[in-house]
Amino acid sequence: MAQIIDACGRSCPEPVLMTKKALESHEARYEVLVDNNTARQNVTRFAKSAGYTVGVTEEADLFRLVLTKS
Amino acid sequence: MKKWTLALAGAVIGVIAVLLTVLGNPGNMGFCIACFERDIAGALHLHSAEVVQYMRPEIIGLVLGAFLIAIAKKEFKPQGGSSPVTRFVLGFFVMVGALMFLGCPLRMVLRLGGGDLNAVVGLVGFVAGIGAGVFFLNKGFSLKRTYRQTIAEGAWLPVINVAFFALLVAFPSVLIFSTSGPGASHAPIWISLLAGLVVGAIAQRTRLCMVGGIRDVLLFKDWTLLCGFVAIIVVALIGNLIAGKFLFGFAGQPVAHTDGVWNFLGMTLVGFGSVLLGGCPLRQLILSGEGNADSSISVVGMLLGAAFCHNFKLASSGEGPTANGKIAVIIGLVVVTVIAVVYTFNKKKAKAETPAVPVA
């Protein structure tokens, strides 16, 4: 079960900070929920720089970013 | 978003900013969100400083440019409810700091490109203020989440700006316009509007932000947004050299003063307050165009702050800062620090009290 980081309603840089904090537990897989394009791009950029591959699925009112250690 | 995209966006903005000064805007003031909102406050009779009153079409264009491109790209999203009154107060004091220095972060960058060394002092203060904000962000500062709002809630600021433009072109007699001073210096209306629309659209697409650039470097070692910041300086510098508007030094700079301490502290307040708001004054305008009601409230706070600055003689002039302005900047630094502390360290208690799912 991947750790889920719910950053919906948060504006940048908060989603990235929440992701950064979560990544300190060094798991292989995380899910980050964001609801705006800026957060999607910023979290994706940060996760890639931290060595994760990022898959995005668009749901009703949010983006689900799946981070997997590459 | 790639670094070169940001650099290109910054370059285009730099060119447009220099062109606006060639076409009539005050020196190093192709764009200044603080100065222009102050001029709008004057045009709307909210203050009576005779030299800074004009309905600046650049501001109207920035909001509407962001609004139109956000609609086209399906990114218009009405949202709000993230500590609006606190944001109003932060917007107010960001303006107090900006009018101490005489410029928002974007104008600070343009002043750097014009050779104004006072802006270097401002930049150091700005970085210090952002550093203070980043300290609290790392400790968990948050103004709480936003919620989805109705379309009307997100559309008000664009609608108000359309009304402002209608007043400017159809009923100018109800507004006040400076006959001398910076308020009387402006490019033709339609060119200013077009410049605002283009820059608003670019800033919406690239998320360009003067505060975000330095903040992201301090927080994440991410240089992407800073590329836009640097590109504006470089291109404005080249543009000013070509246009013969480059003036290197401290003294005699257009719409600026040489009091280093207060240039520093003014921009410290701007940097600190803007990090807590999540973006510089330009970014607040762009987010308002995207339907962000919290940013709209911040913009209203800045507009009212500008009116207060001139009604109570807080704003600096070319001669330097005022005693009232110095007191206001100190009060601003205290208030912003208190806000930072409260929203950082009071959070755990609030979290325990608030259920994860809102109860109807």
Side-chain angles (χ1 to χ4, degrees):
Chain A
M1 185 66 194
Q3 189 180 339
I4 294 174
I5 302 136
D6 182 3
C8 288
R10 304 285 173 173
S11 46
C12 277
E14 277 185 55
V16 186
L17 280 167
M18 291 164 84
T19 307
K20 187 183 177 190
K21 207 173 173 71
L23 258 51
E24 283 167 9
S25 64
H26 297 291
E27 287 168 38
R29 189 182 150 93
Y30 297 90
E31 283 186 28
V32 186
L33 311 180
V34 295
D35 64 356
N36 63 83
N37 225 337
T38 311
R40 191 195 77 179
Q41 290 174 11
N42 289 347
V43 170
T44 301
R45 197 164 62 224
F46 175 77
K48 281 182 178 165
S49 76
Y52 286 79
T53 48
V54 182
V56 184
T57 47
E58 205 171 335
E59 296 175 20
D61 230 359
L62 57 87
F63 298 102
R64 185 182 297 270
L65 312 180
V66 179
L67 280 48
T68 340
K69 190 85 193 171
S70 44
Chain B
M1 201 59 57
K2 296 279 192 303
K3 289 188 176 72
W4 66 265
T5 316
L6 260 300
L8 185 66
V12 173
I13 293 170
V15 169
I16 293 176
V18 173
L19 282 178
L20 283 172
T21 63
V22 172
L23 291 168
N25 274 18
N28 295 338
M29 210 190 279
F31 287 95
C32 173
I33 311 311
C35 316
F36 289 0
E37 282 176 356
R38 180 262 323 268
D39 292 347
I40 290 176
L44 294 170
H45 305 236
L46 297 176
H47 70 70
S48 47
E50 287 175 1
V51 291
V52 285
Q53 296 168 315
Y54 179 52
M55 179 56 76
R56 294 276 177 189
E58 289 88 347
I59 296 283
I60 297 167
L62 287 168
V63 173
L64 297 180
F67 174 69
L68 294 173
I69 199 100
I71 297 260
K73 294 283 181 183
K74 298 193 175 19
E75 288 187 356
F76 180 78
K77 196 176 158 216
Q79 55 177 339
S82 162
S83 312
V85 184
T86 301
R87 287 178 189 271
F88 175 91
V89 173
L90 287 170
F92 185 102
F93 281 111
V94 163
M95 183 58 85
V96 169
L99 291 180
M100 166 59 74
F101 168 73
L102 292 173
C104 73
L106 179 55
R107 182 168 190 248
M108 177 189 73
V109 169
L110 293 171
R111 281 172 63 174
L112 288 169
D116 181 346
L117 293 179
N118 300 299
V120 177
V121 181
L123 175 62
V124 178
F126 186 57
V127 174
I130 292 172
V134 164
F135 170 81
F136 287 101
L137 279 174
N138 273 326
K139 296 268 177 224
F141 173 84
S142 169
L143 288 175
K144 308 277 188 295
R145 63 160 297 174
T146 59
Y147 296 90
R148 199 67 190 246
Q149 303 288 343
T150 59
I151 288 184
E153 189 69 13
W156 271 119
L157 214 80
V159 168
I160 288 168
N161 275 281
V162 170
F164 281 175
F165 194 70
L167 284 179
L168 176 64
V169 292
F171 309 100
S173 60
V174 303
L175 302 170
I176 313 179
F177 298 103
S178 298
T179 50
S180 65
S185 306
H186 54 81
I189 290 176
W190 290 97
I191 290 178
S192 294
L193 179 73
L194 184 65
L197 286 168
V198 171
V199 172
I202 292 174
Q204 197 279 335
R205 294 314 299 153
T206 57
R207 338 261 175 228
L208 185 80
C209 175
M210 303 300 114
V211 170
I214 295 168
R215 179 199 67 201
D216 286 356
V217 170
L218 295 178
L219 265 180
F220 311 120
K221 310 267 176 294
D222 180 344
W223 297 80
T224 314
L225 280 176
L226 199 69
C227 291
F229 185 104
V230 174
I232 297 176
I233 300 178
V234 173
V235 172
L237 178 80
I238 297 167
N240 280 314
L241 284 169
I242 294 170
K245 285 179 174 286
F246 185 80
L247 175 64
F248 190 76
F250 285 97
Q253 294 289 347
V255 200
H257 63 78
T258 55
D259 191 321
V261 172
W262 293 97
N263 278 330
F264 177 95
L265 287 175
M267 285 317 279
T268 304
L269 180 53
V270 173
F272 195 0
S274 296
V275 170
L276 302 189
L277 282 175
C280 70
L282 169 70
R283 184 81 185 130
Q284 299 305 323
L285 284 178
I286 302 303
L287 286 170
S288 304
E290 290 179 22
N292 188 320
D294 295 322
S295 291
S296 301
I297 287 292
S298 312
V299 170
V300 175
M302 287 191 271
L303 188 73
L304 206 72
F308 265 73
C309 281
H310 285 279
N311 287 336
F312 295 91
K313 305 213 177 339
L314 314 180
S316 303
S317 67
E319 277 107 63
T322 65
N324 291 4
K326 293 175 185 176
I327 295 168
V329 166
I330 298 294
I331 292 173
L333 286 168
V334 172
V335 170
V336 172
T337 307
V338 168
I339 289 173
V341 168
V342 167
Y343 282 87
T344 302
F345 299 106
N346 224 6
K347 218 174 57 171
K348 285 185 189 91
K349 214 171 81 188
K351 207 179 241 172
E353 285 164 4
T354 317
V357 180
V359 182

